[in-house]
């Protein structure tokens, strides 16, 4: 039976792997790029082929208005990040009438494009603009492909009352944009690590939520657990802060959540995670440690920077965290702390050391092949399963079919069907459950009990071998019968 | 700390020796197997994610394969027959 199963598994494996060779790996070959924004539709060319759109907008507020906002959608097979510089001209009065250049990094995503700038009403600089109400301005947006910058919260800072029905936008001819990570994740969290905050702490998180992610599509809240940390860097104690702070996820794609709480001064750690209120699952947690400072005496875990702010000497949440050995110095000797720092098992430090060991020693020939294979097999990455697609040739005999594209998204259909079973079809009653929630447990019992019976059946067929002589029950029975016959 | 530096010392020693002997550091599998395996694994994990019942069956199958392999080893070393 084992051989039969093994041979069938081999055939299945060969078919699966062969399909990976021959099925196309991309559902779209071109990086066609288009953009729709409020007030109009704008098309961007591919690399090096700028498409300009010249437009204007009318500031709808008084000269105290100093920001703008554009919302739209980028349709692109592979989304990307962009860094924007924005030039606003025209109108009269205010800095926008002369050279109002906003050069600030922003982000583009394939959903919910935000281009935000928030300035102040103080003396305008090169990156601050004022608009006069009722005036017409033109805007030029220069985007360059680049990395993400920490300006996400600018979009949350204040209302942005200026509408932009039209503007100019052109392709700067940069390289092919790298794909954006559309995985559900935290983009950034605030307070940042090793920063200081007042006793009234603003907790903000910029997230990317992929609602169709088969792993993360079920999370519906962003939660943050706060811990007050005491002790020293070799032995910290964490006291959880109640209540846990949770905020609902309101949108797919990029969004932000924020809340405010009051904390005692001291050393705090914030652990952020996505939360599924139905199943209690948590995922994608990340954490920062920060200092809350009040007028009281500051805690002992940080030092004061020259600019007056406070910061940690060493981040206790850093994966490269190494316990300090200062307690072994004669001037500040502590036997317990010194001994602990020398022979104690420091999980974070050891994790770091083993990662180095894995990436270097265990990566040498020949066992590096095993390390690499294990790394690939352990990778949680998923990808879109390929479509079956075909484009008829230019010289196809049937004229109407020439260059016609046909595609069949089998796996998309499977996923849609599974969504029906998993979420859409629900039982009626006070506690409705989906079809899969009802069937999952019985199915698991059925499969594993069957497996148990098969394994027990196989074990009962075992005959033990001892002293190099093989015996079985029939041999022993024959011996016993022969002995009794002689008597 | 002693364990931390012990691991780093072993790593540094092995790296120095192996580097001196020009033993290659393996960053990817040869003959295009790496890219092939990565795509195969990601496809397969996506399939498991969009079809959880298959995950249950696959897990059970892997347990059974492990069991049979153990039996085969015990039979080979003549502990059972």
């Amino acid at each position: 039976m084992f051989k039969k199963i093994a041979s069938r598994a081999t055939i299945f494996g060969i078919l699966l792997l062969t399909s990976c060779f021959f099925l196309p790996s991309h559902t779209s070959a071109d990086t066609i790029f288009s953009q729709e924004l409020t007030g109009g539709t704008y098309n961007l060319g591919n690399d090096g082929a700028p498409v300009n759109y010249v437009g204007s907008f009318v500031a709808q507020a008084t000269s105290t208005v100093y920001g703008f906002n554009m919302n739209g959608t980028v349709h692109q097979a592979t989304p990307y990040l962009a860094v924007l510089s924005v030039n606003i001209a025209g109108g009269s009065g205010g800095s926008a009438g002369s050279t109002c250049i906003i050069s600030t990094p922003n982000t583009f995503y394939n959903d919910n494009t935000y281009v935000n700038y928030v300035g102040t009403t103080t003396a305008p600089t090169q990156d601050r603009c004022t608009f006069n109400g009722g005036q017409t301005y033109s805007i030029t947006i220069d985007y360059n492909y680049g990395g993400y910058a920490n300006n996400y919260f600018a979009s949350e800072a204040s209302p942005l009352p200026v509408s932009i029905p039209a503007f100019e936008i052109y392709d700067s001819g940069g390289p092919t944009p790298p794909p954006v990570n559309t995985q559900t994740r935290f983009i950034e969290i605030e307070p940042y690590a090793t920063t200081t905050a007042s006793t009234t702490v603003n907790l903000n998180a910029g997230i990317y939520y992929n609602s169709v992610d088969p792993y993360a599509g079920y999370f519906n809240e962003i939660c943050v657990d706060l811990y007050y940390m005491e002790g020293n860097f070799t032995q910290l104690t964490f006291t959880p802060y109640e209540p846990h702070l949770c905020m609902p996820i309101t949108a797919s794609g990029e969004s932000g959540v924020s809340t405010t709480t009051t904390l005692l001064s001291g050393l705090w750690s914030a652990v952020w995670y996505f939360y599924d209120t139905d199943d209690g699952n948590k995922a994608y947690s990340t954490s920062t440690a920060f200092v809350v400072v009040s007028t009281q005496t500051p805690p002992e875990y940080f030092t004061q920077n020259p600019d007056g702010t406070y910061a940690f000497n060493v981040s206790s949440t850093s994966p490269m965290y190494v316990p300090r050995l200062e307690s072994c110095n004669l001037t500040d000797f502590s036997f317990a702390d010194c001994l602990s720092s020398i022979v104690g098992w420091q999980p974070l430090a050891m994790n770091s050391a083993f990662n180095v060991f894995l990436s270097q020693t265990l990566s040498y020939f020949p066992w590096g092949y095993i390390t690499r294979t294990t790394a690939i097999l352990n990778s949680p990455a998923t990808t879109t399963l390929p479509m079956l697609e075909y484009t008829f040739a230019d010289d196809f005999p049937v004229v109407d079919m020439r260059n016609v594209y046909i595609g069949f998204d089998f796996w998309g259909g499977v996923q849609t069907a599974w969504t029906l079973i998993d979420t859409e079809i629900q039982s009626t009653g006070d506690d409705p459950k989906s079809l899969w929630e009802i069937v999952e447990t019985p199915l698991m019992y059925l499969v594993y009990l069957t497996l148990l019976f098969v394994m027990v059946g196989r074990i009962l067929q075992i005959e033990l071998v001892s002293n190099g002589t093989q015996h079985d029950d029939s041999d022993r029975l024959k011996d016993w019968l022969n002995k009794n016959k002689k008597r | 700390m002693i364990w931390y530096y012990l691991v780093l010392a072993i790593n540094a020693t092995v790296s120095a020796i192996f580097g001196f002997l020009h033993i290659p550091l393996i960053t990817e599998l040869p003959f295009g197997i790496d890219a092939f395996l990565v795509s195969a694994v990601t496809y397969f994990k996506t399939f498991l994610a969009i079809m959880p019942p298959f995950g249950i069956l696959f897990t059970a199958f892997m347990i059974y394969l492990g069991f049979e392999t153990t039996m085969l080893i015990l039979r080979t070393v003549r502990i059972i027959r």
Side-chain angles (χ1 to χ4, degrees):
Chain A
M1 184 178 179
F2 177 68
K3 286 182 180 175
K4 195 181 288 182
I5 291 173
S7 63
R8 289 178 183 174
T10 306
I11 293 169
F12 175 75
I14 290 171
L15 287 174
L16 182 70
L17 298 179
T18 306
S19 68
C20 295
F21 267 125
F22 290 103
L23 289 175
S25 59
H26 295 92
T27 56
S28 176
D30 298 323
T31 54
I32 296 170
F33 185 92
S34 67
Q35 183 179 11
E36 293 179 6
L37 292 172
T38 305
T41 301
Y42 311 94
N43 296 316
L44 296 179
N46 287 321
D47 298 340
V51 175
N52 296 330
Y53 183 90
V54 179
S56 61
F57 69 95
V58 179
Q60 296 178 337
T62 64
S63 59
T64 57
V65 176
Y66 54 89
F68 64 88
N69 183 33
M70 291 179 289
N71 295 320
T73 304
V74 175
H75 300 286
Q76 191 187 23
T78 53
Y80 66 96
L81 297 174
V83 176
L84 298 172
S85 63
V86 182
N87 186 3
I88 298 176
S92 63
S95 63
S98 53
T99 54
C100 176
I101 299 172
I102 298 171
S103 179
T104 181
N106 282 280
T107 58
F108 262 19
Y109 290 97
N110 64 339
D111 284 315
N112 297 326
T113 299
Y114 294 100
V115 183
N116 296 293
Y117 175 76
V118 176
T120 66
T121 54
T122 57
T125 61
Q126 192 180 34
D127 62 349
R128 290 171 180 166
C129 296
T130 59
F131 308 132
N132 278 352
Q135 301 294 321
T136 301
Y137 301 93
S138 67
I139 179 170
T140 303
I141 301 177
D142 186 3
Y143 67 92
N144 294 287
Y145 308 124
Y148 184 80
N150 292 334
N151 73 326
Y152 178 77
F153 294 113
S155 64
E156 306 293 327
S158 69
L160 298 161
V162 176
S163 65
I164 303 178
F167 54 87
E168 180 186 272
I169 186 167
Y170 61 91
D171 190 332
S172 62
T176 301
V180 158
N181 179 9
T182 57
Q183 190 179 23
T184 296
R185 68 194 191 282
F186 286 97
I187 299 172
E188 67 173 330
I189 51 182
E190 200 177 52
Y192 305 111
T194 72
T195 56
T196 59
S198 64
T199 50
T200 301
V201 180
N202 294 318
L203 297 161
N204 301 315
I207 63 167
Y208 193 96
Y209 177 63
N210 188 342
S211 60
V212 298
D213 186 336
Y215 285 121
Y218 305 108
F219 295 110
N220 48 12
E221 282 190 347
I222 299 295
C223 294
V224 54
D225 291 348
L226 295 167
Y227 297 91
Y228 185 73
M229 298 191 286
E230 294 178 284
N232 54 47
F233 277 106
T234 59
Q235 195 171 23
L236 281 171
T237 58
F238 293 78
T239 305
Y241 170 82
E242 298 290 347
H244 298 235
L245 302 170
C246 290
M247 294 144 277
I249 300 173
T250 56
S252 185
E254 182 189 358
S255 63
V257 294
S258 62
T259 187
T260 303
T261 188
T262 303
L263 300 174
L264 295 172
S265 64
L267 180 61
W268 289 85
S269 175
V271 179
W272 291 83
Y273 54 89
F274 286 79
Y275 186 57
D276 180 358
T277 53
D278 294 330
D279 298 333
N281 293 328
K282 301 176 181 178
Y284 305 102
S285 65
T286 184
S287 65
T288 57
F290 58 94
V291 179
V292 173
V293 177
S294 70
T295 55
Q296 302 169 7
T297 305
E300 56 183 308
Y301 314 120
F302 57 86
T303 56
Q304 191 167 18
N305 294 324
D307 61 359
T309 60
Y310 294 91
F312 295 115
N313 292 324
V314 180
S315 170
S316 62
T317 56
S318 166
M320 293 305 292
Y321 165 64
V322 177
R324 298 192 302 175
L325 289 170
E326 280 80 353
S327 54
C328 297
N329 289 344
L330 287 177
T331 53
D332 190 21
F333 184 75
S334 167
F335 181 76
D337 287 351
C338 179
L339 192 64
S340 173
S341 64
I342 291 175
V343 299
W345 187 269
Q346 307 290 346
L348 289 174
M350 293 311 297
N351 189 35
S352 164
F354 282 129
N355 281 336
V356 172
F357 191 75
L358 194 68
S359 64
Q360 292 185 8
T361 298
L362 291 184
S363 295
Y364 278 106
F365 177 86
W367 49 77
Y369 293 120
I370 297 171
T371 304
R372 177 60 185 158
T373 305
T374 308
I376 293 172
L377 294 178
N378 284 336
S379 168
T382 58
T383 185
T384 305
L385 291 167
M387 289 174 59
L388 296 173
E389 54 187 356
Y390 183 75
T391 303
F392 288 91
D394 290 340
D395 56 350
F396 191 71
V398 181
V399 177
D400 290 343
M401 294 299 290
R402 288 176 182 171
N403 297 316
V404 171
Y405 166 84
I406 55 173
F408 176 53
D409 188 5
F410 174 76
W411 298 113
V414 169
Q415 189 162 4
T416 306
W418 177 251
T419 305
L420 287 175
I421 296 170
D422 192 31
T423 57
E424 299 290 331
I425 302 174
Q426 296 229 335
S427 63
T428 56
D430 295 336
D431 183 22
K433 291 184 181 300
S434 70
L435 193 57
W436 174 238
E437 286 175 329
I438 296 168
V439 170
E440 183 180 11
T441 306
L443 178 67
M444 286 182 67
Y445 275 116
L446 178 67
V447 170
Y448 288 117
L449 278 176
T450 304
L451 181 64
L452 181 67
F453 285 131
V454 170
M455 291 166 69
V456 169
R458 293 282 291 115
I459 290 170
L460 290 177
Q461 295 172 9
I462 290 173
E463 296 171 11
L464 291 175
V465 178
S466 61
N467 300 324
T469 307
Q470 295 179 2
H471 290 288
D472 59 20
D473 290 342
S474 59
D475 291 335
R476 293 192 189 97
L477 183 63
K478 285 174 188 173
D479 292 343
W480 186 83
L481 286 172
N482 289 332
K483 285 177 184 175
N484 283 283
K485 193 182 284 182
K486 286 175 184 176
R487 288 177 188 174
Chain B
M1 290 303 293
I2 192 170
W3 311 116
Y4 174 81
Y5 287 114
L6 184 65
V7 172
L8 290 189
I10 293 171
N11 180 68
T13 307
V14 172
S15 297
I17 295 171
F18 279 42
F20 178 75
L21 296 175
H22 295 285
I23 293 174
L25 203 60
I26 307 300
T27 55
E28 62 179 31
L29 302 176
F31 311 122
I33 298 172
D34 196 273
F36 169 72
L37 193 61
V38 167
S39 64
V41 168
T42 51
Y43 281 150
F44 189 65
K45 290 196 172 181
T46 305
F47 178 65
L48 289 182
I50 64 174
M51 189 57 76
F54 185 79
I56 294 174
L57 295 174
F58 182 73
T59 306
F61 177 67
M62 295 305 290
I63 292 171
Y64 183 73
L65 275 186
F67 169 75
E68 286 292 352
T69 306
T70 307
M71 298 281 281
L72 198 63
I73 293 168
L74 294 176
R75 200 173 288 126
T76 305
V77 298
R78 298 188 64 76
I79 294 175
I80 61 172
R81 69 170 184 171

